[in-house]
Amino acid sequence: MATEMDYYQQLEVDRSCDGATLKSSYRKLAMKYHPDKNPGDAAAEAKFKSISEAYDVLKDPQKRAAYDQYGHAAFTNGGGNNAGGGGFAGAAFNDIGDIFETIFGGGGGGGFGGQQQQRGPARGADLRYDMEISLEDAFHGKQTEIEIDVSVGCDECDGSGAEPGTGVKTCPTCHGHGKVRAQQGFFVVERTCASCQGRGEVIESPCHVCLGEGRVDKPQVLEVEIPAGVDSGTRIRLSGKGEAGARGAPPGDLYIFIHLARHNIFEREGTTLFTRAPISFSVAALGGEIVIPGLDGAKHEIRIPAGIQSGKQIRQRGAGMPVLRGRGHGDMVVQIDVETPTKLSSRQKELLREFQETETGDESPQSSGFFSKIKEAWDGLAE
């Protein structure tokens, strides 16, 4: 820095002054000592530079907070020296980001300091595999195999990326730190080393098989256990079966997303199975029984009460889907659809006409009630 004089004294303000006061005092002093108003005056030029430096720090709330706590040392210990001292009472800071992290906290990344950079090879990527299964397989569960093309560790170099018989050396650019620094005004900016991609080391002779990556693409056959009760959207995680990490880093995970194929009888909602059962109008009138084959292999007898109406739902307890990783089953819900006959013999028509002649209206209370309301409406209009 050009001077070690207190920044507040340079700007002739109190340490508790607000931003407006700070700006006003700076503008007054800047006009007084500006080189254009003091041609050839070296002292005035030096004064103008010192007050400009002070204002650049104090006008920024974060820089000002750092200066208030650490003084000039907040901006003089960012050049890469990791030793102690430097006005911090023995505490060493790597750069201005460390200072702001100490003042404001930096656990969550972002802002100054940010998130601590990862050293060494990065973990392999997670992979996704979409699998379609039948509703029967979802009911019972199954053991199956899948084949995928995925990056695995290179056998030739044992995942190191280096040609057998050779090794790695410290990166000559960052000297093993994985980061390089550049001075920008009052700040020291850290960037990932481009030579080693943040690893801190480089390969002397890359493996001729994986070309230094430490991994190669190979088809893999994996066993997958589908638990009973899975549904569309269920995610099954195979730990460590994702993409291999570069140069011996841990592999990622493989996530299998389940999709249920359309079933010709049942629709599913959670653990409940829904189906529609058409019945004749004679069964609807007299009652009876129908049989629905369940996914469990059993034949479920559904009792039809006399006089049932179309759209009525009958629930069969415990005949639905199993609870995923739990106990018990959901229900089966059968919706009744009363079917009107379209092909009648002469005898059937004769019998229906006889039945029609005996109707009093009490047999179909909903119909008689509806038409009674229609009649009342018409009578009201006639009046």
Side-chain angles (χ1 to χ4, degrees), residues 62-79:
Q62 292 183 317
K63 292 181 186 178
R64 184 174 177 177
Y67 179 77
D68 287 346
Q69 185 163 355
Y70 297 109
H72 291 285
F75 309 100
T76 59
N77 197 37

Side-chain angles (χ1 to χ4, degrees), residues 297-356:
K299 294 181 179 180
H300 296 275
E301 294 184 355
I302 309 297
R303 191 180 69 84
I304 307 297
I308 194 170
Q309 300 299 310
S310 189
K312 176 70 175 180
Q313 291 185 339
I314 300 175
R315 183 177 296 269
Q316 189 81 350
R317 301 288 182 183
M321 295 294 294
V323 178
L324 179 62
R325 298 186 180 91
R327 295 182 178 180
H329 289 70
D331 301 333
M332 177 196 299
V333 175
V334 181
Q335 179 172 309
I336 300 300
D337 292 333
V338 179
E339 186 176 16
T340 302
T342 57
K343 295 181 180 180
L344 295 173
S345 67
S346 299
R347 176 58 177 161
Q348 289 172 327
K349 292 179 180 180
E350 182 182 351
L351 291 173
L352 283 176
R353 290 191 184 98
E354 292 180 5
F355 171 75
Q356 188 178 33

Side-chain angles (χ1 to χ4, degrees), residues 23-65:
K23 182 177 181 179
S24 176
S25 181
Y26 165 70
R27 294 184 65 178
K28 181 178 68 175
L29 293 171
M31 292 179 63
K32 179 179 179 180
Y33 294 104
H34 198 282
D36 291 345
K37 289 193 173 184
N38 302 275
D41 189 339
E45 182 178 356
K47 179 67 173 178
F48 178 78
K49 290 181 179 179
S50 66
I51 61 176
S52 297
E53 176 184 300
Y55 183 65
D56 282 342
V57 171
L58 298 184
K59 71 179 181 180
D60 186 301
Q62 292 183 317
K63 292 181 186 178
R64 184 174 177 177

Side-chain angles (χ1 to χ4, degrees), residues 173-361:
T173 302
C174 65
H175 306 291
H177 295 290
K179 298 176 286 188
V180 293
R181 292 175 174 178
Q183 185 83 32
Q184 294 185 357
F186 296 111
F187 294 92
V188 175
V189 180
E190 272 192 349
R191 295 186 177 92
T192 300
C193 177
S195 300
C196 64
Q197 287 77 49
R199 299 184 179 99
E201 55 188 21
V202 293
I203 296 173
E204 294 179 336
S205 179
C207 172
H208 69 280
V209 175
C210 64
L211 304 179
E213 280 293 309
R215 55 189 178 183
V216 293
D217 290 339
K218 284 185 178 180
Q220 298 288 305
V221 177
L222 304 175
E223 288 191 355
V224 181
E225 182 177 350
I226 309 297
V230 295
D231 200 352
S232 289
T234 297
R235 188 179 67 173
I236 300 173
R237 175 172 171 260
L238 299 185
S239 179
K241 299 302 181 181
E243 188 178 77
R247 301 184 188 178
D253 299 330
L254 174 64
Y255 291 91
I256 298 176
F257 285 78
I258 300 298
H259 304 274
L260 295 188
R262 187 179 182 88
H263 198 267
N264 60 351
I265 297 177
F266 294 107
E267 293 182 4
R268 176 180 180 177
E269 185 175 316
T271 58
T272 303
L273 292 174
F274 291 90
T275 189
R276 301 166 72 100
I279 62 173
S280 67
F281 81 101
S282 59
V283 173
L286 301 175
E289 288 186 351
I290 59 173
V291 176
I292 303 293
L295 295 178
D296 55 2
K299 294 181 179 180
H300 296 275
E301 294 184 355
I302 309 297
R303 191 180 69 84
I304 307 297
I308 194 170
Q309 300 299 310
S310 189
K312 176 70 175 180
Q313 291 185 339
I314 300 175
R315 183 177 296 269
Q316 189 81 350
R317 301 288 182 183
M321 295 294 294
V323 178
L324 179 62
R325 298 186 180 91
R327 295 182 178 180
H329 289 70
D331 301 333
M332 177 196 299
V333 175
V334 181
Q335 179 172 309
I336 300 300
D337 292 333
V338 179
E339 186 176 16
T340 302
T342 57
K343 295 181 180 180
L344 295 173
S345 67
S346 299
R347 176 58 177 161
Q348 289 172 327
K349 292 179 180 180
E350 182 182 351
L351 291 173
L352 283 176
R353 290 191 184 98
E354 292 180 5
F355 171 75
Q356 188 178 33
E357 292 173 356
T358 63
E359 284 185 310
T360 63

